[in-house]
Amino acid sequence: MRRAAVRGLGQIERVAGAARRRVQDAGGGRGGDGGGTGRAGGRANGGAAGGRGGTEGGPAGGAAGGRYGRLWDPPADSDAMALILNTTDTAEFERTGRADADRLAGFLPANGTAMDVGCGIGRVARYLAPRCATLWAVDASPRMLELARDRLAGEANVRFARCIDTDIPDVPTASVDLVYSLLVLQHLEREDAFLLLEELRRVVKPSGTVFLTFPNLLSDTYLSAFVDYAHRGETANPARARMYTPQEVERVVPAAGFDVELEAGVEIVAVCRPR
Ligand SMILES: C[S@@+](CC[C@H](N)C(=O)[O-])C[C@H]1O[C@@H](n2cnc3c(N)ncnc32)[C@H](O)[C@@H]1O
């Protein structure tokens, strides 16, 4: 998963631009993002036509729809690919999805249930779904979910659900064997990332696994991304990546109720088991 370092940088550029435009459109400042902090989001109202379960429809912004989803609004698959992986090369996008799914499959029991949190357009879900009984594709962004529904139309066992900032109300407690979230937690405020970790702890089975990635501030790649951020004033961008050290991950993830094993490369990979 080392190539993710490059993805992060490209994404920073693009999401930063989009988020800045939104902040400007809303009159400037974080208050214009249209929602409170924390877990107050609740369920989305309404529902998008054609959903196969879940509340993935609903407003793209505002308190009811959450703050994070509206920051990720790609017009088409190619824009989404550029946001997610900093590539418009379809073959590369598919190759990485297949490779990540191969690794994740090792944590999945026979007939297991998986959940892809921050699934984007289903880069990984597309290749993991055929190996699951059920796969939940979860994202904060209604647009990402819409594109994922198209891309995963051939996978009848995929269910879609909205994450309202840090809540995934449609997914039952202790129901998922393998929860994974790749290149996602970094885009939340650290406190919100912690609340989302607690939500993942809620949905995973006691015997299950949670697989996470974080950008490693101690790597040259992410240190230079951090310095770049600082120079470009990215603190105003709510979708920017937050870098972590392995030591921080080792402290924060257990505080959400997990035992954790780390691999610290350019990306920090955390394999977590509920305590
Ligand atoms: C860099 S993309 C990664 C997509 C996918 N995990 C992959 O690796 O292909 C980040 C994704 O996280 C989603 N996201 C952002 N904030 C979120 C939140 N609070 N809850 C769930 N998903 C979120 C975005 O909409 C976007 O689809």
Side-chain angles (χ1 to χ4, degrees):
M1 303 209 175
R2 278 160 198 254
R3 74 203 167 279
V6 181
R7 332 169 181 175
L9 295 175
Q11 171 169 310
I12 285 162
E13 288 281 345
R14 291 178 173 82
V15 176
R20 253 197 307 271
R21 279 192 296 283
R22 283 192 183 89
V23 169
Q24 282 158 5
D25 290 350
R30 298 284 313 273
D33 272 47
T37 56
R39 306 172 80 79
R43 275 171 181 262
N45 29 5
R52 279 184 274 160
T55 53
E56 72 272 24
R67 295 181 298 136
Y68 287 103
R70 66 192 305 242
L71 303 173
W72 298 80
D73 197 23
D77 271 357
S78 55
D79 307 287
M81 282 168 38
L83 286 180
I84 291 164
L85 267 202
N86 191 27
T87 185
T88 50
D89 179 345
T90 309
E92 168 69 359
F93 192 80
E94 301 299 339
R95 187 191 65 70
T96 63
R98 217 177 286 118
D100 287 347
D102 285 347
R103 173 153 194 203
L104 290 164
F107 297 97
L108 198 58
N111 288 317
T113 297
M115 181 167 87
D116 186 334
V117 179
C119 63
I121 63 171
R123 180 179 66 87
V124 180
R126 178 176 189 173
Y127 297 100
L128 197 63
R131 308 188 211 187
C132 304
T134 301
L135 185 144
W136 285 97
V138 175
D139 204 285
S141 157
R143 181 58 182 156
M144 286 289 190
L145 283 170
E146 198 174 12
L147 293 171
R149 263 202 309 279
D150 287 348
R151 193 162 178 276
L152 301 173
E155 308 299 335
N157 61 339
V158 177
R159 301 186 67 186
F160 295 89
R162 248 332 262 294
C163 180
I164 314 297
D165 290 339
T166 61
D167 288 331
I168 312 171
D170 290 313
V171 179
T173 297
S175 66
V176 183
D177 295 291
L178 171 64
V179 176
Y180 62 96
S181 191
L182 309 184
L183 307 171
V184 176
L185 289 170
Q186 63 214 54
H187 296 292
L188 278 64
E189 293 291 357
R190 281 162 174 259
E191 291 81 357
D192 288 338
F194 178 74
L195 293 178
L196 186 52
L197 280 172
E198 289 190 323
E199 181 70 339
L200 306 189
R201 175 70 182 79
R202 180 187 70 78
V203 299
V204 72
K205 288 181 183 174
S207 59
T209 305
V210 174
F211 187 104
L212 308 167
T213 67
F214 299 84
N216 189 350
L217 179 63
L218 302 187
S219 70
D220 290 346
T221 305
Y222 281 118
L223 178 63
S224 76
F226 172 82
V227 170
D228 226 40
Y229 264 22
H231 291 158
R232 288 192 282 130
E234 288 299 327
T235 45
N237 171 16
R240 74 188 181 283
R242 284 82 174 165
M243 289 39 158
Y244 288 78
T245 66
Q247 290 85 350
E248 285 174 328
V249 175
E250 242 164 11
R251 289 292 284 163
V252 170
V253 172
F258 296 102
D259 289 325
V260 63
E261 281 170 35
L262 294 191
E263 275 171 35
V266 173
E267 301 293 328
I268 302 166
V269 173
V271 178
C272 317
R273 301 222 157 68
R275 258 197 265 115

